[in-house]
Amino acid sequence: MKKTSPAMAASTRWLGILVVLAPLAFLASLPWLSNQPDAIVFLATGIATTIVVIGSLIIAAVKDQEMDEWHRSAARFASQWGWISGGSLIAILLAVPAVHDALLGVVMLFADGPSLEEDLVLMIVTLSFMAVIATQAICTVALNMLWRARMSGPAR
């Protein structure tokens, strides 16, 4: 296992804070952004997304360098099967009528009437994509923990 320098650890910590604060700042600015032109909204969204994606990739690369082979094999197993199980779980949940009702209820909170506008359809697609990504992340973490628990068990 490779040890990182204190300066690299501090930089990674600050980058992690920035990765968390960027979407929180975006969410906090939504009331202000709702009164702005679409170009400003898309710019703010792009900036927050870019910070999160690039920051996450840098943190992942630094953390990968710190791992030994045992931890890397757990991460590879989890990343290989986490996205498949997360995507499958969402597909199964979308077949449940209660999930349909919940999604429709969330969207109708923002609707003016019984018809769906273009913005609401875009919101549905965005929320669905976010649900897939979040579920894949949860499944990846769960499979990583499962792999570690299984491989750390008593010898056979």
Side-chain angles (χ1 to χ4, degrees):
M1 182 169 355
K2 183 179 175 184
K3 197 71 170 168
T4 57
S5 68
M8 179 63 85
S11 298
T12 305
R13 188 172 25 259
W14 281 109
L15 186 57
I17 291 170
L18 183 62
V19 163
V20 171
L21 287 180
L24 291 177
F26 175 77
L27 291 174
S29 68
L30 282 178
W32 176 76
L33 285 172
S34 66
N35 298 324
Q36 302 305 315
D38 285 347
I40 300 294
V41 175
F42 291 139
L43 178 66
T45 305
I47 290 171
T49 304
T50 302
I51 289 170
V52 170
V53 170
I54 291 175
S56 298
L57 289 173
I58 291 170
I59 291 170
V62 169
K63 293 299 179 185
D64 186 63
Q65 291 297 316
E66 295 176 359
M67 287 191 228
D68 58 12
E69 285 304 313
W70 190 83
H71 289 97
R72 280 190 182 141
S73 60
R76 287 188 181 117
F77 172 80
S79 66
Q80 177 181 354
W81 293 103
W83 73 272
I84 293 171
S85 57
S88 301
L89 184 60
I90 287 293
I92 291 168
L93 285 175
L94 288 176
V96 176
V99 175
H100 291 172
D101 294 340
L103 289 173
L104 189 59
V106 169
V107 171
M108 291 316 242
L109 290 174
F110 299 99
D112 291 334
S115 65
L116 290 179
E117 300 164 5
E118 183 180 334
D119 292 341
L120 291 176
V121 173
L122 182 61
M123 187 175 86
I124 291 170
V125 171
T126 304
L127 290 175
S128 300
F129 181 71
M130 290 169 54
V132 170
I133 297 300
T135 306
Q136 288 174 342
I138 291 167
C139 288
T140 300
V141 170
L143 286 171
N144 189 308
M145 291 170 37
L146 178 70
W147 188 93
R148 288 183 184 202
R150 175 130 168 93
M151 294 299 156
S152 296
R156 297 184 219 189

